[in-house]
Amino acid sequence: MRLDDAARPPKARRVWLGLASVVALVAAYTLLSNAYRVVDPSLLPDPLRGLLRPQILPPTQRIVDAFVQLVGAGAPLAGGADLHPGDHIGGLVEQRVTLQGSLLVSTYRVLIGLAVGGSLGILAGLLMGWSRAVDEYVHPIYILFRSVPPLALITYVMLWLGHGTAHLLIPIIYAVFATVVIPTYHGVRDVADVYVKAARALGAGGRLLLSRVMLPAASPFVLAGLRYALVIAWMTTVGVEMLMGDDGVGYLLIGGGLWSSRLEVAGDPAVIVVGIVGLALVGYAMDVGVRVAGDRLTQWVKR
Amino acid sequence: MPEPRRRRLEMRDVVHVYEGKTATRALDGVSLDVHDNEFLAIVGPVGSGKTTLVRIVAGFLRPTSGVVLCDGAPVTGPGPERGYVFQEEAIFPWMSVRDNLGFGLLAKGVVASEREKIVAELVRLIGLEGYEGAYPKELSGGMSKMVEVARVLATDPAILLLDEPFGLLDAQTRSKMQDQLSLLWEEKRKTVILVTHDVEEAIYLADRVVVFTPRPGRIKVEVTVDLPRPRSLETRFSPAFLALKRSIWKEIGRA
Ligand SMILES: Nc1ncnc2c1ncn2[C@@H]1O[C@H](COP(=O)(O)OP(=O)(O)OP(=O)(O)O)[C@@H](O)[C@H]1O
Ligand SMILES: [Mg+2]
């Protein structure tokens, strides 16, 4: 309960306000993106001249078209439909890359990253926070490795394991792992101390201490870490897919193709916007999921 | 009736220096015996090393020099035979009252049915029926302190170390808790070390009161409290009680 709870508008009104602001945003964008039809952009002053072009701000109706095409791309092709396999959307449709399919694959990668990297990171954080010896040995190595951007690993992973879909998961797992360790560590070391002492005085040790005392004591911090790791996981996933993937949103954004020839396809802004909006929506939903689950798990926290 | 006085805890020349930016000499040669089933109270000014001594006895801190023996064996770490109630709040906020009370039993490997029985008994003892499923955040400060004391009692430790357990309570709850502790001690007969700032509380509960000097902590004086038990509100106003109070205050005042 927060003090300002009473001052907040009721829920129904909040939803309406939220919707209204989205509608306003879409309307404003539609006007702006269609402005080039009315005014010749080359007459405009400099930053506007560059921006108000359909190549940069695709008109809303083009985005909707791209959306419909990408959602329907899985269906068998209608014969004679005007398809240009050379351009961004044409290539995708030809390969039957759908928006929902791409989002699903990426979401799956993010979830695997969170599950595997999250558990390993929590475990490492717990051990480092628990044992001074582990902390002293592992911490410098951890700091050293943490500074390596996850995407920097991808070429090495490829050299090492070859080109495979499963290998894309390694940088994602690593990114989540590195993000979760530190909050867990601080939760255990800085917050749990008095509880750990109390538990030990009550005769607890080993697994009971770890699972029933340290982990719950650190859990508000772990959850904050996971929420942040979710963002990092998405960044890494899309990056990895752009560089090496054969599917996923990153692949969709970059227009498919073999990774060596990727940059030869000119990006279609409408596809990119569709992909970005899809990412934003899925990211939002997942954040709500983590937050709601987290609030349930930490009902006990005084707020 | 003088029982055979077995020494339960022996502290010999305990010195403790906290290393750090400014080395603090918290304890400066404390020697103290606590007998079996004795109720000992320690009073002393802020920062006189009371918590430090209790932490050493609990096994969380190693003395810089000197030894602490529990039943003749040197203390090397915390143990379930020495129940410790912290000065700061230490009940687990993520566990219900029930799970908090049962935690020591769980650690000991007591089976669930037996655990439930003991927990139900403790809940009754501290008068928290109906709050078994509540989280600590739903309890008042006094209630959670009671849970904390009861949690330590669950495993029936032979020795109780209580570091200002009632420090944060209002006068009324405080006196209620004191009565409960007094009853409990008479019923279960444990060895107790109680740290407190409250001279009256010390006299009311203890068999013996030890007064610490200001830092570095040393024992200034020991006062035996031979008031009859069970003690009650009347005890607090008896001439003997007041005389003890006067003499302890005199000792404290004489810096
Ligand atoms: N962890 C620590 N590190 C450094 N110095 C400490 C630490 N804990 C206590 N001290 C110092 O040791 C001295 C004794 O502290 P202690 O907590 O034992 O006092 P106390 O008698 O329990 O006081 P109070 O009545 O306020 O609880 C104090 O001067 C304090 O500053
Ligand atoms: Mg203290």
Side-chain angles (χ1 to χ4, degrees):
Chain A
M1 260 298 177
R2 266 184 245 129
L3 259 182
D4 60 359
D5 258 5
R8 284 163 78 193
K11 187 159 185 198
R13 203 160 134 230
R14 279 210 314 272
V15 172
W16 277 116
L17 284 173
L19 275 177
S21 78
V22 171
V23 170
L25 183 72
V26 172
Y29 180 84
T30 308
L31 288 177
L32 208 62
S33 60
N34 284 291
Y36 77 98
R37 296 169 194 275
V38 195
V39 206
D40 183 358
S42 60
L43 300 177
L44 291 171
D46 199 24
L48 281 178
R49 186 184 333 164
L51 277 175
L52 285 187
R53 288 179 302 149
Q55 291 85 345
I56 298 297
L57 289 185
T60 310
Q61 57 276 24
R62 279 240 34 233
I63 297 175
V64 173
D65 279 348
F67 174 79
V68 171
Q69 259 183 298
L70 283 174
V71 169
L77 289 178
D82 60 328
L83 199 76
H84 310 282
D87 71 12
H88 192 159
I89 198 157
L92 291 173
V93 172
E94 191 191 37
Q95 295 170 63
R96 304 234 179 132
V97 173
T98 62
L99 175 66
Q100 62 275 29
S102 306
L103 283 171
L104 206 64
V105 168
S106 298
T107 304
Y108 156 82
R109 292 197 172 118
V110 166
L111 288 177
I112 297 269
L114 282 180
V116 179
S119 338
L120 292 176
I122 290 169
L123 195 67
L126 282 178
L127 289 176
M128 279 163 64
W130 181 29
S131 150
R132 179 151 303 173
V134 173
D135 190 23
E136 273 161 13
Y137 282 113
V138 172
H139 215 123
I141 305 176
Y142 165 73
I143 295 292
L144 211 58
F145 269 89
R146 186 185 60 166
S147 318
V148 178
L151 287 182
L153 289 180
I154 191 69
T155 38
Y156 191 61
V157 168
M158 214 176 82
L159 281 181
W160 185 33
L161 294 173
H163 184 109
T165 328
H167 308 156
L168 297 186
L169 293 173
I170 290 172
I172 306 169
I173 289 170
Y174 162 79
V176 172
F177 170 85
T179 311
V180 171
V181 169
I182 280 291
T184 310
Y185 168 75
H186 281 294
V188 171
R189 209 197 51 175
D190 304 343
V191 183
D193 187 59
V194 69
Y195 301 125
V196 169
K197 285 201 170 112
R200 283 178 50 214
L202 288 166
R207 269 211 346 243
L208 187 68
L209 189 64
L210 213 60
S211 68
R212 297 294 303 274
V213 178
M214 287 181 172
L215 190 57
S219 64
F221 294 81
V222 174
L223 285 165
L226 277 175
R227 223 178 134 191
Y228 184 53
L230 182 65
V231 176
I232 303 277
W234 271 106
M235 286 189 199
T236 313
T237 301
V238 171
V240 153
E241 287 167 351
M242 282 180 158
L243 287 169
M244 293 214 358
D246 297 330
D247 49 11
V249 182
Y251 183 81
L252 178 135
L253 287 174
I254 209 156
L258 278 178
W259 66 277
S260 52
S261 66
R262 272 190 187 173
L263 294 177
E264 286 163 26
V265 180
D268 178 343
V271 176
I272 295 173
V273 171
V274 167
I276 287 174
V277 170
L279 280 175
L281 292 179
V282 174
Y284 186 89
M286 284 178 81
D287 184 66
V288 169
V290 171
R291 222 171 49 217
V292 169
D295 283 352
R296 287 217 146 189
L297 279 175
T298 55
Q299 270 174 33
W300 51 268
V301 174
K302 263 189 196 151
R303 299 187 232 264
Chain B
M1 35 143 217
E3 312 152 9
R5 311 232 69 189
R6 197 162 67 82
R7 268 183 255 154
R8 189 113 225 184
L9 287 168
E10 297 167 65
M11 298 159 227
R12 293 274 163 272
D13 287 318
V14 175
V15 173
H16 192 80
V17 180
Y18 286 104
E19 304 295 347
K21 253 189 241 149
T22 53
T24 305
R25 202 173 179 83
L27 290 174
D28 192 26
V30 171
S31 295
L32 187 62
D33 286 347
V34 189
H35 298 281
D36 202 16
N37 298 338
E38 186 181 21
F39 198 127
L40 178 91
I42 301 178
V43 296
V46 164
S48 57
K50 306 180 296 294
T51 297
T52 306
L53 185 66
V54 176
R55 292 208 156 186
I56 290 173
V57 175
F60 286 120
L61 213 55
R62 261 171 203 286
T64 309
S65 71
V67 281
V68 175
L69 305 178
C70 175
D71 291 327
V75 167
T76 54
E81 79 286 357
R82 278 160 290 138
Y84 179 25
V85 176
F86 288 70
Q87 185 169 6
E88 56 269 49
E89 193 152 305
I91 51 172
F92 305 136
W94 56 87
M95 284 186 197
S96 63
V97 167
R98 185 187 294 115
D99 289 348
N100 262 293
L101 292 175
F103 185 79
L105 299 166
L106 185 70
K108 224 173 147 187
V110 176
V111 293
S113 58
E114 181 65 17
R115 234 164 41 218
E116 248 167 65
K117 228 177 68 194
I118 298 174
V119 167
E121 214 171 282
L122 288 169
V123 167
R124 196 150 21 79
L125 180 76
I126 57 176
L128 280 187
E129 291 102 333
Y131 281 93
E132 293 88 342
Y135 284 118
K137 73 168 178 182
E138 299 162 69
L139 306 179
S140 73
M143 287 153 97
S144 43
K145 210 67 212 183
M146 290 198 250
V147 173
E148 205 165 329
V149 175
R151 179 175 74 174
V152 165
L153 293 174
T155 47
D156 209 14
I159 301 171
L160 276 181
L161 307 168
L162 309 171
D163 193 350
E164 293 190 40
F166 314 137
L168 295 172
L169 307 185
D170 66 280
Q172 212 177 345
T173 318
R174 199 180 167 105
S175 102
K176 209 177 94 189
M177 294 285 294
Q178 288 167 356
D179 286 335
Q180 244 152 14
L181 181 60
S182 186
L183 276 177
L184 196 120
W185 179 80
E186 263 154 50
E187 193 181 309
K188 300 221 174 181
R189 285 287 157 161
K190 292 177 185 304
T191 307
V192 180
I193 298 184
L194 170 78
V195 172
T196 175
H197 280 142
D198 183 344
V199 173
E200 216 182 285
E201 175 173 288
I203 302 170
Y204 183 62
L205 291 170
D207 297 321
R208 188 157 52 115
V209 178
V210 171
V211 181
F212 269 36
T213 61
R215 193 182 61 227
R218 240 173 290 127
I219 294 177
K220 189 173 198 179
V221 70
E222 287 186 30
V223 178
T224 305
V225 180
D226 42 14
L227 299 172
R229 291 182 188 270
R231 296 171 187 171
S232 66
L233 193 63
E234 285 311 309
T235 316
R236 294 182 194 264
F237 298 103
S238 66
F241 189 92
L242 295 173
L244 278 165
K245 202 166 140 184
R246 181 176 301 124
S247 74
I248 291 176
W249 272 115
K250 260 191 188 152
E251 288 301 335
I252 293 176
R254 203 193 302 148

